[in-house]
Amino acid sequence: MFLSSAINQYRIRKIESIGKMTQMTQEEIVANTKTVLQGLEALRLEHVSLMTGLREARHDTEKSDIVQKNIDSIELGLGEAQVMLALVSHLQNVEAEKQKLRTQVRRLCQENAWLRDELANTQQKLQASEQTVAQLEEEKKHLEFINSIRKYDENQEQEDGGDKPRADPVVELFPEDEQEERHNMSPTPPSQFANQANAGYEIPARLRTLHNLVIQYASQGRYEVAVPLCKQALEDLEKTSGHDHPDVATMLNILALVYRDQNKYKEAANLLNDALTIREKTLGENHPAVAATLNNLAVLYGKRGKYKDAEPLCKRALEIREKVLGTDHPDVAKQLNNLALLCQNQGKYEEVELYYQRALEIYEIKLGPDDPNVAKTKNNLASCFLKQGKYKEAEVLYKQVLTRAHEREFGTIDGDNKPIWQVAEEREENKLKNRENTPYGEYGGWHKAAKVDSPTVTTTLKNLGALYRRQGKYEAAETLEDCALRSKKEALDLVKQVKVAQILGSDDKRRSKHTKGPSGSESVESVKMENVKMEREDSAKRLSRP
């Protein structure tokens, strides 16, 4: 009875524990199960000992059966308890594995985020590399194009004779009559165009070939080729160096001069203003290149008749040159000449005289009395005197120019070696006698003094002839005018010869390739052709000499 009551109590506790299990934690369930397991184990041992005693006594079979059933129930309870503990252990292992998996998931998420960052960085690097490759491809194409036209560099160097132009030349504002006529006959010569384009900034090596090619085409009037080349260079420069770079300003200046030669003054002015802004920003407001751009812009305004707009630009360019080069530099004198011309067109004659006289002093001291700029400045100053009615002052300057030209060509003046103005005045005094006896032909050789490379002398002849006409000295005026016409005719003949030489020059080069003998030596015919070509080049250089 005792055993049955104990088993019943166990079952009741078990049922109660199962009822309360839903309210217990896992730790409490495990602890209670272990406690019940220990009790059942003790109870089983008691039942086993009791069963052993009953078997030894060999009586009361009914009790033995009851004890055996209790033992079976106890073992069943023990098995269930062990299953519960095994299940708890399994659940703990599963939870531990779950936590481990969660840790791995967190680590994988972190690694995934890191890999995404690495992928983003790699993609950025890839894009940068692709851009670099594309840029290098463009540079490669540009270099291949440059190499394909490098022959023009060699031609340019041969024409220049290896002499490099000065870094900061001054573009003159208004060419004289002869220069203007030649300008109308052909575009700007290569040397003059290069000086204007390069003013104040040395052309970098990467642009030199393209720059020379543009100048070559522009000097030939082939603007349909020169303009696209300039625009291509600008586009390449802005991609590689950015818009605000001195090289971009240089190429803008070149394109502006090309437009100016085409009389596209508005486009040229916009480009020069842009170039001026870039050079002021990158090189400083007092850089010679800034002065050169200011001067080019003033020249452009002067050609359009906007003298009031051009004058402050020219004055600022003068201030920069004086500050950088000194007050007695020849380029300062050229800037003074430009400023004087602008003031003269506005009727500011007092300022004009001061500018010309100062420029004349600089030229005579720095370059000597035989420099062409001296004669040109005297001629300009004499023109200023003429407009004011100061005929005597103008006549003195004209005679000084002609006298100096005569001495250079024919030697010291004496009774038998007279300058043309003196011959003209003697013919005026003896005009009746001259008409009856000596024609002017015996003095016709004097036109040699008005050389093609010195158009100022020809202009002076015409100006002094006009002055003689105002004074009623018609015979003297005709003498000078006839001499000026002879000089002009010679200049035109030389221009035609140079054009013919340029046309035939390419044919000579092609023929010279086929005039080699079997052993590689040149034939007599090719030597003759080379001599002819050299004579033509000499004529061309005399014509284009400043």
Side-chain angles (χ1 to χ4, degrees):
M1 294 296 291
F2 172 76
L3 291 173
S4 61
S5 64
I7 292 171
N8 290 332
Q9 288 179 358
Y10 165 75
R11 289 177 176 174
I12 292 170
R13 288 178 183 175
K14 185 177 180 181
I15 293 170
E16 289 176 354
S17 64
I18 291 172
K20 294 180 180 179
M21 194 175 294
T22 55
Q23 300 177 357
M24 297 171 62
T25 62
Q26 183 176 347
E27 288 78 7
E28 291 174 345
I29 292 173
V30 172
N32 290 335
T33 302
K34 288 180 178 180
T35 302
V36 170
L37 184 63
Q38 291 176 358
L40 289 174
E41 185 66 30
L43 189 60
R44 188 181 71 82
L45 293 174
E46 290 178 2
H47 277 66
V48 169
S49 63
L50 182 61
M51 186 64 183
T52 304
L54 289 174
R55 286 178 178 176
E56 291 177 354
R58 295 181 180 180
H59 64 277
D60 201 354
T61 306
E62 183 179 355
K63 290 182 180 179
S64 298
D65 295 336
I66 292 172
V67 171
Q68 185 62 41
K69 290 180 180 178
N70 288 338
I71 291 172
D72 294 337
S73 299
I74 290 170
E75 288 179 350
L76 178 63
L78 286 172
E80 291 177 354
Q82 290 174 352
V83 169
M84 288 181 65
L85 289 176
L87 180 61
V88 169
S89 177
H90 176 70
L91 290 175
Q92 288 178 348
N93 292 333
V94 170
E95 185 65 25
E97 189 69 22
K98 185 178 177 180
Q99 292 295 332
K100 182 178 179 182
L101 290 174
R102 286 177 180 173
T103 303
Q104 290 179 353
V105 168
R106 285 195 296 269
R107 182 170 58 81
L108 290 174
C109 289
Q110 292 175 353
E111 291 180 355
N112 190 25
W114 178 78
L115 288 173
R116 285 180 179 177
D117 293 338
E118 285 293 318
L119 178 61
N121 294 332
T122 305
Q123 287 177 341
Q124 291 179 354
K125 291 178 181 179
L126 178 61
Q127 291 178 354
S129 299
E130 288 176 348
Q131 292 177 356
T132 304
V133 169
Q135 180 178 345
L136 291 175
E137 287 290 337
E138 290 296 326
E139 291 181 0
K140 179 183 176 184
K141 292 179 182 178
H142 181 67
L143 290 174
E144 289 175 351
F145 171 74
I146 294 301
N147 289 331
S148 66
I149 59 175
R150 191 166 296 279
K151 60 181 181 179
Y152 292 98
D153 254 355
E154 298 173 358
N155 295 339
Q156 184 71 22
E157 291 176 1
Q158 291 174 0
E159 292 176 4
D160 294 343
D163 295 332
K164 294 184 178 179
R166 289 187 296 113
D168 185 20
V170 181
V171 182
E172 295 185 20
L173 191 57
F174 304 110
E176 297 180 0
D177 296 338
E178 292 295 321
Q179 290 175 313
E180 189 67 40
E181 290 173 5
R182 290 175 195 165
H183 178 75
N184 293 334
M185 288 186 291
S186 62
T188 305
S191 58
Q192 182 181 351
F193 196 103
N195 286 343
Q196 296 176 17
N198 299 354
Y201 195 80
E202 183 179 356
I203 298 298
R206 60 175 175 168
L207 293 178
R208 198 165 295 140
T209 302
L210 186 60
H211 163 262
N212 291 338
L213 187 61
V214 169
I215 290 177
Q216 189 74 19
Y217 282 131
S219 64
Q220 296 172 2
R222 300 177 63 183
Y223 305 114
E224 71 281 359
V225 181
V227 172
L229 283 176
C230 284
K231 290 183 178 179
Q232 176 193 345
L234 275 175
E235 184 178 353
D236 292 344
L237 281 173
E238 290 179 347
K239 284 182 180 179
T240 56
S241 304
H243 181 70
D244 295 334
H245 193 276
D247 294 351
V248 175
T250 301
M251 193 53 63
L252 286 171
N253 202 34
I254 295 171
L255 182 56
L257 294 176
V258 175
Y259 279 144
R260 191 192 72 183
D261 269 12
Q262 297 177 274
N263 296 327
K264 295 181 179 180
Y265 297 123
K266 184 177 181 180
E267 294 88 341
N270 292 336
L271 293 175
L272 285 175
N273 279 313
D274 196 6
L276 179 62
T277 302
I278 295 173
R279 282 181 165 174
E280 287 178 334
K281 185 185 297 184
T282 57
L283 303 177
E285 295 184 353
N286 294 322
H287 195 276
V290 175
T293 308
L294 287 167
N295 181 73
N296 286 345
L297 194 56
V299 170
L300 185 64
Y301 285 150
K303 288 181 177 291
R304 299 174 66 184
K306 297 183 177 182
Y307 306 117
K308 291 184 179 179
D309 295 332
E311 184 180 352
L313 299 175
C314 204
K315 285 184 176 179
R316 186 183 164 199
L318 176 63
E319 291 176 358
I320 295 174
R321 295 186 191 282
E322 288 178 334
K323 186 179 297 184
V324 175
L325 304 175
T327 57
D328 57 349
H329 194 277
D331 283 350
V332 172
K334 287 187 178 182
Q335 199 70 58
L336 287 167
N337 261 317
N338 285 357
L339 185 56
L341 286 168
L342 290 172
C343 292
Q344 183 170 314
N345 281 279
Q346 300 177 69
K348 301 178 181 180
Y349 296 114
E350 292 183 1
E351 296 181 29
V352 174
E353 291 183 18
L354 292 176
Y355 293 142
Y356 278 141
Q357 288 171 355
R358 184 182 164 195
L360 187 59
E361 291 176 1
I362 294 173
Y363 282 138
E364 289 179 335
I365 294 174
K366 292 294 181 178
L367 304 180
D370 290 330
D371 187 79
N373 290 294
V374 174
K376 186 182 298 184
T377 305
K378 285 184 177 180
N379 196 6
N380 291 340
L381 181 57
S383 298
C384 176
F385 286 147
L386 278 181
K387 292 185 178 182
Q388 299 178 76
K390 299 179 179 180
Y391 300 131
K392 291 184 179 180
E393 291 86 343
E395 185 176 350
V396 170
L397 291 174
Y398 287 141
K399 289 180 178 180
Q400 288 178 359
V401 173
L402 296 179
T403 300
R404 197 69 186 180
H406 183 90
E407 290 176 342
R408 288 198 305 269
E409 185 67 25
F410 303 107
T412 306
I413 295 174
D414 54 30
D416 297 326
N417 187 21
K418 301 175 182 178
I420 189 65
W421 64 265
Q422 190 172 347
V423 173
E425 290 186 351
E426 288 180 357
R427 287 177 61 81
E428 180 66 32
E429 294 175 0
N430 303 317
K431 54 185 174 181
L432 295 177
K433 179 180 177 182
N434 287 340
R435 284 176 184 174
E436 295 175 357
N437 298 318
T438 308
Y440 174 66
E442 65 179 277
Y443 302 104
W446 201 92
H447 74 278
K448 296 177 182 178
K451 293 181 178 180
V452 177
D453 60 352
S454 180
T456 306
V457 177
T458 304
T459 304
T460 305
L461 288 169
K462 293 166 64 177
N463 291 343
L464 183 56
L467 178 58
Y468 279 151
R469 285 194 178 277
R470 292 185 184 182
Q471 297 173 344
K473 300 178 180 179
Y474 300 111
E475 185 70 20
E478 289 179 2
T479 303
L480 297 181
E481 290 167 356
D482 181 70
C483 186
L485 286 174
R486 290 171 182 241
S487 175
K488 180 179 178 181
K489 182 178 181 300
E490 183 179 347
L492 291 173
D493 290 341
L494 275 177
V495 169
K496 293 178 182 178
Q497 292 176 12
V498 170
K499 287 184 176 180
V500 172
Q502 289 176 348
I503 294 173
L504 296 179
S506 58
D507 294 337
D508 291 344
K509 288 181 180 179
R510 288 196 296 268
R511 291 175 184 172
S512 63
K513 294 180 180 179
H514 304 288
T515 54
K516 299 284 184 178
S519 61
S521 59
E522 295 185 353
S523 64
V524 176
E525 181 182 355
S526 84
V527 174
K528 290 181 179 179
M529 292 175 66
E530 187 66 23
N531 293 335
V532 172
K533 180 182 173 184
M534 291 176 63
E535 292 176 0
R536 290 170 181 166
E537 290 178 351
D538 291 339
S539 299
K541 289 180 180 179
R542 287 199 302 271
L543 179 61
S544 60
R545 193 177 306 156

